[in-house]
Amino acid sequence: MQKIKPKRELVPDHPVASKFTRDLKYALEQEDSGEVSFLLQQRAHSANAIIELSNDDWMKEPSAQLDPLVLLGLWSLEYKRELTSPLCIAASRGYTSCLQYLLQRGAKPNLIPGSRSPLHLACANAYTDCTELLLEYGANPRLQTEDGITPLHLCDSPQSFWCAKLLLKYRADVNQLTEEDQETPLHVAAKQGLHSHAHLYLRYGASVDVMNVHQVSPLSCACASAVELAKQKDYLQVCKLLIAYSANVNSVDTEKRSPLHKASRNASVQLVQLLLKHGADVNAIDYNGCSPLANAIQAAPFKKELEPQRTVQTLLNHGSQRVWPGAFLKVLKSCADSPKTVEVLFNSYQQIQVTEEWMEAVPKEIFQVHRPFYESLFALASGPRSLQHLCRFAARKLFGKQCSTIVPQLPIPKRLHGYLLLEPEDLVY
């Protein structure tokens, strides 16, 4: 596999201090595509000219704006030399006509003065027409940067789908690993929630369970990345696809964290349901001794907009072992501002002794906001749970891990289905 080699000894045709480079920098800053194209086509030394946009000696650049800490000697300055070419600039900006002009006049698509090839830059910016032109003129779709990154790894946005398709058409390696993280393009697609990309790669033979350097599979990447509510549907689609291609739902990384651990930490209830439906181990323990339920509880204070009680409820209804009763005080302290999470957990026990310490654990301002719930909870310090609750507990104990499948089939009102499945009611009794 060909790699981009560092070019430390190149002598630029257009040094950083030259009039051409100054004019080019100004045109780029102004985003003046016409002037940039004119300079690259008519003023550059050649179609394969080496252009120095910056250098490694800030003393040669009097106009450089330096941080005061640098001038005081309190912060070391790293001023990197940046070499490029007309082809790289045109590809990175999506200037298709300029790119075609340069290629027709002998610009070499695999001549790379900097860290990335023109093809890398076109794909990173999702410029499909530029990508196609470069490939037609012989750009190498398997060329790697010094970090082992191929153009396919840089197709990391929905807009880059057609770039990815073109790369594969020109025989890009769908299972190529990056050098540092050992990740494939499928890992990238999973991290970004790109269903169409993932489907494309799998159809071209991508390995569904390939592990990166941390033993993280694409499925595990998707579950860990499903953080934003707005994108969780995208990650759900990716995970459904990976599972349809027989991804291992119980793979674990170097910390023994499974996809279910990660989905639970993100309060991704639909992902949690999907993984459990396909056999995920609800009681898997990672190296820190945490179960998926423990991860969901830890995340609850920070994921209120995602209704973390739904994740906790789902895990309990699939047979998750409960928190040790003696540790419930800690749960109350951390989840006080998520009373529905507290309610779901509390109702999963037959009886827990409510103490004065519990009352002290809830901050006064939170108590006032959720006063009806906490008054009902603390009132149980002086009495047992209701008969109705005890019947619920007995039924749940009988159904065990099958609660989520048996309860909905019972010939009872839907409201009782919800009650048996720990649906929050904002009061306990």
Side-chain angles (χ1 to χ4, degrees), residues 17-38:
S18 67
K19 184 178 186 307
F20 171 87
T21 301
R22 292 199 303 270
D23 291 345
L24 179 61
K25 278 185 174 182
Y26 180 77
L28 289 170
E29 288 170 1
Q30 299 300 311
E31 298 185 358
D32 186 342
S33 60
E35 181 65 12
V36 171
S37 296
F38 169 75

Side-chain angles (χ1 to χ4, degrees), residues 175 177 182 184 186-187 207-212 215-218:
N175 285 309
L177 301 174
Q182 296 287 289
T184 66
L186 187 58
H187 281 98
S207 176
V208 74
D209 277 329
V210 63
M211 301 290 188
N212 68 12
Q215 294 299 298
V216 178
S217 68

Side-chain angles (χ1 to χ4, degrees), residues 381-408:
S382 57
R385 296 300 304 269
S386 68
L387 180 59
Q388 182 175 314
H389 166 73
L390 297 176
C391 289
R392 169 171 60 185
F393 178 82
R396 288 179 58 81
K397 185 177 181 180
L398 177 65
F399 301 148
K401 292 183 178 182
Q402 303 302 314
C403 270
S404 61
T405 54
I406 292 176
V407 170

